Amino acid sequence: MTPPAARRLILVFTLLASLARAAAPDYATPRFTDPKREERLRSVLPEIDKIFTDAAAERHFPGLVWAIMLDGRVVHTGALGYANLEKKIPASAVDTRFRIASMTKSFTALAILKLRDAGKLSLHDTVARHIPDFRHVTPLTADAPPVTIRHLLCMAAGFPEDNPWGDRQLAVSVEQLHAFLRGGLSLSTTAGTTFEYSNLGYALLGQIVTNLAGEPYQRYITREILEPLEMRDTRWEFSEVPADKLALGYRWATDHWELEPLLHDGTYGAMGGLLTTIPDLARYVALHLSAWPTRNDPDTALVRRTSLREMHQPAIVSSLSTSAKTLSGEPNPQAVGYAFGLRWSLDSKRVVSVGHSGGLPGFGSNYQFFPDHGFAVISFANVTYAGAAAINSRVAAVLLEKAALPARKIPVSPILATRRQQVAELIQKDWPAALADAIAGENFFPDRSRDAWRKLTQENLAKAGAIHSVGEIVPENQLRGTFPLVTDKGRIDVYFTLTPEAVPKLQQLRLTFVPKS
């Protein structure tokens, strides 16, 4: 159990969060402003279906199902091939249950955060505190920190990458896992220093859920997450799925498919055991999309929006993809991190995606959602390691680049609008002292004197010509933005940012002349 001091901190945090919500009445919630978003999405659906169809043929998928979501709704699905080759049972995007493998990990991570929010644990708790047999694990180095729950969540516990080995552990019993721990582990790195993908780590998280909930993690996740989301067709054990609704798994062997035996549910199911349908997983993805944007309306989800968003943030850097390109071949490198049971990426266009792949003998799947753009792509295949992530990424690129689905726009906050008008007046009226002193932050004129600002402004106006109008501000957030001064010879882009004071003042200003093209 969490100690009293930690529980008090949780209560204080909750109170402060409540006060913060009450103290920000002028917060401007980002929103979508284009009424034709769905129309533009639908215009590229034939191309999207072709991407999936071509990939299935090229990669020898027995069966494939997919879905496109917008604003928490499934707006398009597709299916081809067979869930069961021998009996010629078609794969269905409605009710065929596919094993989604490591896509299960975020469900386990969400269970951990629900227990954290209930005061049952801290992410900084050591693993040994909740799994006593972990004390038999010897650190790799003398200066290694104790392995914590947070280390397990973000794959930084020091365990070796274990995909080939971990894939075969699904049916391991609780007793076998604890015997394994008592025998000691071999570590590849020092905890807290490096990302390394670990199925073992998520099996241990499942045991922590089991120990703190007082029931198997499968039952806890089913009751606390699956049932509230009405994920009625989602199961842990394949034998509970009707035979005509179950996707069997296959491996492509040069010129034919070979059936892969399905593994029964066990303690490693926390890392990759769930079987689900497209509609059920879409309900889960809708939950994650519902956490965005940050806003003031009541928090009615089964888990706090702030906890969901916590899951979406990179907890450790995993890689840098320098070879990524746009559809047109333009370089588009991506920073990649691991969050809590989720993969996070940020590309050079500042597009954020969150999601996870799943791969087990006989199955390959992926889902990606785009919090700022409000859409998601899901696909399941019943062939070993289908490479679904690359397919979904191409589909997402079509939605971003060809359908041009926009991100939410940030409305202009009242203080930003006021300061934009005042900054424009400073520039147009040669920096009147009374106004400048009233809105400048404590640092502003020590950083550059008023006379120096007057000189810089005059130099820009000499190049740009007379100012005709003041353009609308494009906010970057509540306290920072850019607006144009339209001139004879082009425009002057005015970038400014405000201080964190209760009444924000001007702390930084940049003027950039852009000539007419």
Side-chain angles (χ1 to χ4, degrees):
M1 295 293 290
T2 305
R7 286 198 294 272
R8 286 195 294 272
L9 283 175
I10 292 170
L11 291 173
V12 169
F13 171 81
T14 303
L15 177 60
L16 290 175
S18 176
L19 291 173
R21 286 194 294 271
D26 293 332
Y27 172 73
T29 304
R31 60 182 183 269
F32 296 117
T33 58
D34 181 359
K36 295 187 176 181
R37 287 170 65 242
E38 184 167 342
E39 181 181 328
R40 293 221 298 270
L41 181 153
R42 292 189 180 279
S43 72
V44 298
L45 289 179
E47 181 172 354
I48 285 172
D49 287 346
K50 186 175 187 303
I51 290 172
F52 283 116
T53 302
D54 289 351
E58 177 185 345
R59 304 183 187 201
H60 306 288
F61 294 171
L64 173 67
V65 297
W66 63 91
I68 309 298
M69 297 180 65
L70 185 69
D71 301 337
R73 299 176 293 114
V74 173
V75 296
H76 179 70
T77 61
L80 51 85
Y82 296 98
N84 184 318
L85 287 170
E86 291 71 27
K87 296 183 178 180
K88 301 299 182 188
I89 298 174
S92 167
V94 176
D95 58 7
T96 299
R97 280 73 152 174
F98 285 76
R99 180 155 262 160
I100 60 170
S102 289
M103 288 166 60
T104 305
K105 287 182 170 68
S106 68
F107 289 84
T108 301
L110 184 56
I112 287 287
L113 291 186
K114 282 182 68 67
L115 290 167
R116 187 277 311 273
D117 291 350
K120 301 288 188 181
L121 61 84
S122 164
L123 300 190
H124 299 291
D125 286 350
T126 66
V127 175
R129 176 177 179 178
H130 299 290
I131 304 178
D133 281 335
F134 196 79
R135 295 190 178 98
H136 294 276
V137 177
T138 302
L140 185 67
T141 61
D143 64 354
V147 177
T148 66
I149 292 174
R150 183 179 176 85
H151 289 145
L152 298 182
L153 285 168
C154 68
M155 308 280 193
F159 303 153
E161 187 279 325
D162 64 357
N163 270 327
W165 175 84
D167 287 349
R168 301 293 180 177
Q169 307 303 309
L170 199 62
V172 164
S173 69
V174 174
E175 293 76 16
Q176 289 171 317
L177 176 62
H178 282 271
F180 176 68
L181 292 176
R182 288 193 295 273
L185 301 179
S186 293
L187 304 179
S188 60
T189 58
T190 297
T193 62
T194 308
F195 167 83
E196 194 157 1
Y197 194 87
S198 174
N199 291 295
L200 171 60
Y202 270 75
L204 295 177
L205 287 170
Q207 286 308 293
I208 291 172
V209 172
T210 294
N211 293 343
L212 289 176
E215 61 183 338
Y217 69 83
Q218 296 98 324
R219 192 176 303 158
Y220 178 83
I221 291 174
T222 297
R223 187 183 68 253
E224 296 293 326
I225 300 173
L226 304 183
E227 290 178 355
L229 291 175
E230 299 184 355
M231 296 176 67
R232 298 188 181 96
D233 293 330
T234 302
R235 295 288 185 274
W236 296 94
E237 171 54 48
F238 76 85
S239 63
E240 296 177 3
V241 176
D244 62 339
K245 305 297 183 185
L246 176 64
L248 300 182
Y250 299 89
R251 178 187 298 274
W252 179 253
T254 307
D255 60 355
H256 66 282
W257 284 294
E258 293 182 355
L259 185 67
E260 286 278 7
L262 285 164
L263 297 175
H264 287 285
D265 182 39
T267 191
Y268 273 75
M271 68 83 178
L274 280 175
L275 300 101
T276 194
T277 64
I278 286 286
D280 269 17
L281 190 78
R283 294 182 180 96
Y284 180 68
V285 174
L287 171 70
H288 283 277
L289 284 170
S290 74
W292 299 92
T294 60
R295 55 197 184 273
N296 285 324
D297 57 294
D299 201 342
T300 58
L302 62 89
V303 64
R304 297 184 308 177
R305 292 194 297 265
T306 184
S307 294
L308 289 167
R309 293 192 295 267
E310 184 180 3
M311 287 183 67
H312 304 164
Q313 305 307 311
I316 191 168
V317 175
S318 59
S319 64
L320 175 65
S321 177
T322 57
S323 61
K325 291 181 172 60
T326 64
L327 293 175
S328 63
E330 177 189 356
N332 187 25
Q334 297 179 352
V336 182
Y338 202 79
F340 294 166
L342 293 165
R343 176 189 181 273
W344 170 95
S345 73
L346 172 69
D347 70 14
S348 65
K349 311 295 183 183
R350 300 201 64 77
V351 173
V352 172
S353 69
V354 182
H356 212 285
S357 290
L360 278 172
F363 297 95
S365 54
N366 176 264
Y367 70 114
Q368 301 177 19
F369 59 92
F370 293 73
D372 298 330
H373 294 76
F375 73 86
V377 184
I378 305 168
S379 64
F380 307 155
N382 57 338
V383 70
T384 300
Y385 308 145
I391 304 168
N392 283 5
S393 293
R394 183 167 183 82
V395 168
V398 169
L399 292 169
L400 289 166
E401 298 174 38
K402 293 192 175 181
L405 293 184
R408 288 182 185 85
K409 289 191 178 296
I410 302 173
V412 181
S413 64
I415 187 62
L416 205 61
T418 298
R419 294 293 185 241
R420 166 229 178 224
Q421 178 183 351
Q422 293 166 329
V423 169
E425 187 175 344
L426 285 177
I427 294 169
Q428 291 173 298
K429 296 185 177 179
D430 198 26
W431 291 81
L435 177 59
D437 291 341
I439 71 168
E442 183 179 358
N443 69 291
F444 191 78
F445 287 125
D447 291 345
R448 174 178 277 163
S449 70
R450 178 167 163 267
D451 286 341
W453 275 114
R454 293 176 64 196
K455 181 180 178 182
L456 180 64
T457 301
Q458 290 162 4
E459 290 171 353
N460 275 273
L461 291 173
K463 292 184 290 185
I467 296 172
H468 295 307
S469 62
V470 179
E472 294 299 317
I473 190 167
V474 177
E476 187 175 328
N477 56 35
Q478 305 293 302
L479 298 176
R480 182 164 60 246
T482 302
F483 68 91
L485 297 171
V486 181
T487 69
D488 286 338
K489 301 176 183 179
R491 71 176 192 270
I492 298 173
D493 283 341
V494 182
Y495 164 88
F496 70 98
T497 184
L498 304 179
T499 68
E501 297 168 88
V503 179
K505 295 186 176 182
L506 181 65
Q507 65 164 314
Q508 185 181 16
L509 179 66
R510 185 168 65 237
L511 308 178
T512 305
F513 171 57
V514 180
K516 287 182 179 177
S517 56

